[in-house]
Amino acid sequence: MKIAVMTSGGDSPGMNAGVRAVVKKGIYHDLDVFGIYRGFEGLMENDVKQLELKDVGSIIHRGGTVLYSARSERFKTPEGQAQAVEVLKQHGIEGVVVIGGDGSYRGAQKLHENGIRAIGLPGTIDNDIRGTDYTLGFDTAMNTVIQAIDNIRDTASSHERTYVVEVMGRDAGDIAAWCGVGGGAESILLPEVESSRDDMITRIQEGFKRGKKHSIIIVAEGAGSGDEIGRYIKEKTNFDTRVTILGHVQRGGSPTALDRMLGSRLGARAVELLMEGESGKALGLEKNQISVHDFDYVVQDKENDDIKDLYKLAIELSI
Ligand code: ADP
Ligand code: F6P
């Protein structure tokens, strides 16, 4: 049997562990494993090559993706999808493991509908995918953010300033909420929680009255721009305020143990599913067990009640 693996959408630390696991597990079971380079764009252009064990040597500890990643508008068209299926058929590839976010899952669903077996692995730092407790790269990104917050706290405390730190997450507030709690932020702003901007001003002022000399405010990019929030705080409080936008620094770096484990476990399970003839499924980790859901289920918006609990906890712990 011939199978392939690809990475698509925004890259994330741990994707390489997933690619490595697919290749090693496949070869261990005598499958031919192909790498599709540059996501769906590369697939349509036949940027496809059979992989050997040496191609995935010494990549488990590297961020990014050795298969490169891309976003492709052309693949969203029926013509683009037909072209991709044609390329796969030319190579005799029966099944594809797609590592990416929900957009990539929608693409994988199209392969499935066109008769190519497709299995998805959740690869995004945003942690915004339904049917998994963690996405690949979320833990690494959080550790990067926490380290940055620690560094900022040192200078915030020396200069008795208020710092706004804008973090990624697209429309999801997971990175902000987890790092707000884990980094001991005074306030967090999340797209999932309304009217938190006024709460933030009140909390900064109350903290100041209690003797706090500095504050750290974490803003999820989906909740507003760090610069704008910084100006708002300055206007309302007149405190000396600085803004840091962490940006793409959050997307790189050597994956944590959790992300390496997640990529390895899910990558290997994806190969098993393809060998069992499964298709149209996305893998995740729920309560430390590998879970399998239909693409239709995972591409829907994630219910995110946990984040509201985290927000409440952040408030309780930031007094
Ligand atoms: P992510 O996978 O990180 O969510 P994107 O949303 O950019 O990233 O999606 C990655 C790629 O998946 C897109 O560039 C496109 O090629 C493909 N894709 C996204 N949505 C669809 C769709 N509805 N149909 C087919 N392909 C899609
Ligand atoms: O989905 C991952 C992510 O890093 C988001 O957190 C962010 O909004 C987006 O991708 C940035 O995309 P780009 O790399 O295209 O600027």
Side-chain angles (χ1 to χ4, degrees), residues 67-92:
L67 294 180
Y68 304 97
S69 193
R71 295 193 168 105
S72 169
E73 283 306 308
R74 187 155 63 103
F75 182 74
K76 292 184 180 172
T77 65
E79 297 74 32
Q81 290 155 21
Q83 168 72 16
V85 169
E86 182 55 32
V87 169
L88 290 167
K89 287 193 170 151
Q90 275 167 17
H91 288 281

Side-chain angles (χ1 to χ4, degrees), residues 103-247:
S104 303
Y105 279 1
R106 287 193 176 88
Q109 172 83 326
K110 294 294 176 196
L111 294 180
H112 165 69
E113 287 166 8
N114 282 286
I116 303 288
R117 283 185 220 159
I119 303 290
L121 260 58
T124 167
I125 62 167
D126 300 339
N127 210 39
D128 59 350
I129 297 187
R130 205 175 177 205
T132 188
D133 295 340
Y134 303 106
T135 56
L136 274 175
F138 174 57
D139 188 56
T140 306
M142 281 200 298
N143 280 282
T144 304
V145 171
I146 291 278
Q147 171 148 27
I149 293 173
D150 289 351
N151 291 0
I152 285 170
R153 185 175 292 287
D154 287 343
T155 179
S157 126
S158 306
H159 287 269
E160 305 182 41
R161 279 174 177 159
T162 299
Y163 268 86
V164 174
V165 182
E166 183 192 304
V167 300
M168 277 186 167
R170 209 183 285 255
D171 303 321
D174 288 55
I175 296 178
W178 285 66
C179 294
V181 173
E186 273 62 38
S187 258
I188 50 178
L189 291 181
L190 306 172
E192 293 86 353
V193 182
E194 276 175 38
S195 76
S196 45
R197 208 176 275 201
D198 292 335
D199 297 350
M200 168 191 71
I201 296 293
T202 310
R203 252 195 324 285
I204 295 173
Q205 287 170 330
E206 283 175 357
F208 183 74
K209 280 187 214 146
R210 282 195 310 270
K212 272 198 182 185
K213 297 274 191 269
H214 66 268
S215 296
I216 294 188
I217 319 297
I218 309 291
V219 182
E221 62 174 337
S225 111
D227 284 326
E228 191 228 318
I229 306 288
R231 281 196 298 276
Y232 185 77
I233 294 173
K234 174 89 180 144
E235 186 190 303
K236 295 277 176 183
T237 65
N238 206 29
F239 291 156
D240 195 10
T241 305
R242 295 288 187 277
V243 176
T244 300
I245 297 169
L246 290 179

